[in-house]
Every structure is written in C-alpha cells, then in structure tokens.
Amino acid sequence: MSDSAAKPRPQFRNISVPQILSYRLPLAGKLSILHRVSGALLFLCLPLVIVPLFAASVTSAEGFAQVAQYFDNVLVKLIVLALVWGYLHHFCAGIRYLALDLHIGIDKASARKSAGVVFGVSLALTAVFALKLFGAF
C-alpha cells in the first residue's frame, strides 16, 4: 500500500453555524430536508388546524358557513396554501423515495433529475391550487 492511499480522512469537530450555512447541498439534499419539514408541518397541523376545521365544517350548515367565512381572510388562505404545498411536496417526494427504495433511479444523474421533477411538479400543483384558492377560476 502506498502512503497516499492510507492518508487519514479529515475530521471536522465543533462546526460553527456560519460553516453550516455555507454548505451547498445538492438538489436531492434540499428535497430531503423539505420532505422532513413538510412532514413535520403536516403532523403538527393535523390536530391543531385540519381536524378542527373539518369537524366544524361537517357538523352543521352554520359550522360550514363559519369555516367558509374564515377562508375569506387572505392570511387564512396563505396558511392553507402552505399546508397544501406541504402535502403536495410530501406526497411527490414520497413517491420518489418509494421508487428509490425499489432501486429505480439511484444513480447520481437520475436522482438529480427526479429531485428536480419533484420540485417542479409539487410547485406547479401548488400554483394550480393557489389560483383556485384565490378565485382565478
């Protein structure tokens, strides 16, 4: 064995926040982080926002009218749009991860391409829902 092949790998300890912020993740890494963020968003909002609004809307006609009034507020629409993005992103990325688990598209070029497709599809679907939510059609 040559000495150059046995060279020890550098060890990084006590990494500071500015060093972490200067990392440049590949697109698949950003997708992975956003998949976790969207999952946490959905998990936390399910008992706090989604279930109570749904329960209020199906109990009576008055409850439905009250929930419909909430949706006239732009801030509520933006919150709902964030939840829609979270769901669509998590769903699309989940399909990608299922394909990766089946060993489909695991090479670097395919993984980069599929990450871009997930971002494109989830953002396009979110834009369609945003147009509908804000009354474009």
Side-chain angles (χ1 to χ4, degrees):
M1 238 193 248
S2 69
D3 288 333
S4 63
K7 196 166 48 170
R9 294 184 59 146
Q11 294 183 2
F12 299 102
R13 298 177 188 197
N14 299 327
I15 296 176
S16 65
V17 173
Q19 289 173 326
I20 291 172
L21 294 176
S22 69
Y23 285 167
R24 293 189 181 180
L25 285 174
L27 194 59
K30 293 174 185 173
L31 180 82
S32 176
I33 290 172
L34 285 175
H35 182 71
R36 292 170 190 240
V37 168
S38 64
L41 175 77
L42 293 171
F43 178 77
L44 294 174
C45 286
L46 188 66
L48 300 175
V49 177
I50 299 169
V51 172
L53 283 177
F54 177 73
S57 70
V58 297
T59 54
S60 66
E62 294 82 22
F64 180 81
Q66 187 178 13
V67 170
Q69 263 187 337
Y70 291 147
F71 278 83
D72 289 337
N73 188 343
V74 175
L75 183 61
V76 172
K77 287 182 181 183
L78 290 175
I79 291 169
V80 169
L81 188 60
L83 290 172
V84 167
W85 167 83
Y87 173 75
L88 291 171
H89 178 81
H90 199 76
F91 180 79
C92 293
I95 291 173
R96 177 182 180 266
Y97 289 128
L98 287 174
L100 291 174
D101 287 344
L102 295 172
H103 301 284
I104 299 170
I106 57 175
D107 60 290
K108 189 175 183 178
S110 296
R112 184 182 303 128
K113 185 177 180 181
S114 66
V117 167
V118 166
F119 274 118
V121 168
S122 66
L123 289 175
L125 288 173
T126 302
V128 169
F129 276 92
L131 290 173
K132 178 66 177 166
L133 187 63
F134 286 97
F137 58 90

Short mmCIF file of all heavy atoms in Angstrom, two decimals, residues 16-25:
data_model
loop_
_atom_site.label_atom_id
_atom_site.label_comp_id
_atom_site.label_asym_id
_atom_site.label_seq_id
_atom_site.Cartn_x
_atom_site.Cartn_y
_atom_site.Cartn_z
N SER A 16 -19.10 25.43 13.38
CA SER A 16 -19.86 26.61 13.78
C SER A 16 -21.04 26.83 12.82
O SER A 16 -21.09 26.29 11.72
CB SER A 16 -18.96 27.83 13.80
OG SER A 16 -18.51 28.13 12.50
N VAL A 17 -21.97 27.66 13.23
CA VAL A 17 -23.16 27.96 12.43
C VAL A 17 -22.79 28.58 11.08
O VAL A 17 -23.35 28.18 10.05
CB VAL A 17 -24.15 28.84 13.21
CG1 VAL A 17 -25.29 29.30 12.34
CG2 VAL A 17 -24.66 28.10 14.43
N PRO A 18 -21.86 29.54 11.00
CA PRO A 18 -21.51 30.07 9.68
C PRO A 18 -20.97 29.00 8.72
O PRO A 18 -21.22 29.07 7.52
CB PRO A 18 -20.44 31.12 9.97
CG PRO A 18 -20.70 31.53 11.38
CD PRO A 18 -21.21 30.30 12.07
N GLN A 19 -20.27 28.01 9.26
CA GLN A 19 -19.78 26.93 8.40
C GLN A 19 -20.95 26.09 7.87
O GLN A 19 -20.96 25.70 6.72
CB GLN A 19 -18.80 26.04 9.16
CG GLN A 19 -17.47 26.71 9.43
CD GLN A 19 -16.60 25.86 10.34
OE1 GLN A 19 -17.10 25.17 11.22
NE2 GLN A 19 -15.30 25.91 10.11
N ILE A 20 -21.93 25.84 8.74
CA ILE A 20 -23.09 25.06 8.31
C ILE A 20 -23.88 25.82 7.25
O ILE A 20 -24.34 25.25 6.27
CB ILE A 20 -23.99 24.72 9.52
CG1 ILE A 20 -23.26 23.73 10.43
CG2 ILE A 20 -25.32 24.15 9.07
CD1 ILE A 20 -23.98 23.48 11.73
N LEU A 21 -24.02 27.14 7.44
CA LEU A 21 -24.78 27.94 6.48
C LEU A 21 -24.09 28.07 5.13
O LEU A 21 -24.73 28.39 4.13
CB LEU A 21 -25.04 29.33 7.07
CG LEU A 21 -25.96 29.36 8.30
CD1 LEU A 21 -26.06 30.77 8.84
CD2 LEU A 21 -27.32 28.79 7.97
N SER A 22 -22.77 27.83 5.09
CA SER A 22 -22.05 27.94 3.82
C SER A 22 -22.07 26.64 3.02
O SER A 22 -21.58 26.61 1.90
CB SER A 22 -20.61 28.38 4.07
OG SER A 22 -19.89 27.34 4.73
N TYR A 23 -22.64 25.57 3.57
CA TYR A 23 -22.73 24.31 2.83
C TYR A 23 -23.63 24.48 1.63
O TYR A 23 -24.65 25.15 1.70
CB TYR A 23 -23.29 23.18 3.71
CG TYR A 23 -22.33 22.63 4.73
CD1 TYR A 23 -22.80 21.82 5.75
CD2 TYR A 23 -20.98 22.91 4.70
CE1 TYR A 23 -21.95 21.31 6.70
CE2 TYR A 23 -20.12 22.40 5.66
CZ TYR A 23 -20.62 21.61 6.65
OH TYR A 23 -19.78 21.10 7.59
N ARG A 24 -23.29 23.85 0.56
CA ARG A 24 -24.13 23.87 -0.64
C ARG A 24 -24.63 22.46 -0.88
O ARG A 24 -23.92 21.61 -1.41
CB ARG A 24 -23.34 24.36 -1.83
CG ARG A 24 -22.96 25.81 -1.69
CD ARG A 24 -22.39 26.34 -2.95
NE ARG A 24 -22.02 27.74 -2.75
CZ ARG A 24 -21.49 28.47 -3.68
NH1 ARG A 24 -21.25 27.97 -4.86
NH2 ARG A 24 -21.19 29.72 -3.44
N LEU A 25 -25.86 22.24 -0.48
CA LEU A 25 -26.45 20.93 -0.65
C LEU A 25 -26.86 20.71 -2.10
O LEU A 25 -27.31 21.64 -2.77
CB LEU A 25 -27.70 20.79 0.22
CG LEU A 25 -27.50 20.59 1.70
CD1 LEU A 25 -28.85 20.61 2.41
CD2 LEU A 25 -26.81 19.28 1.97
#
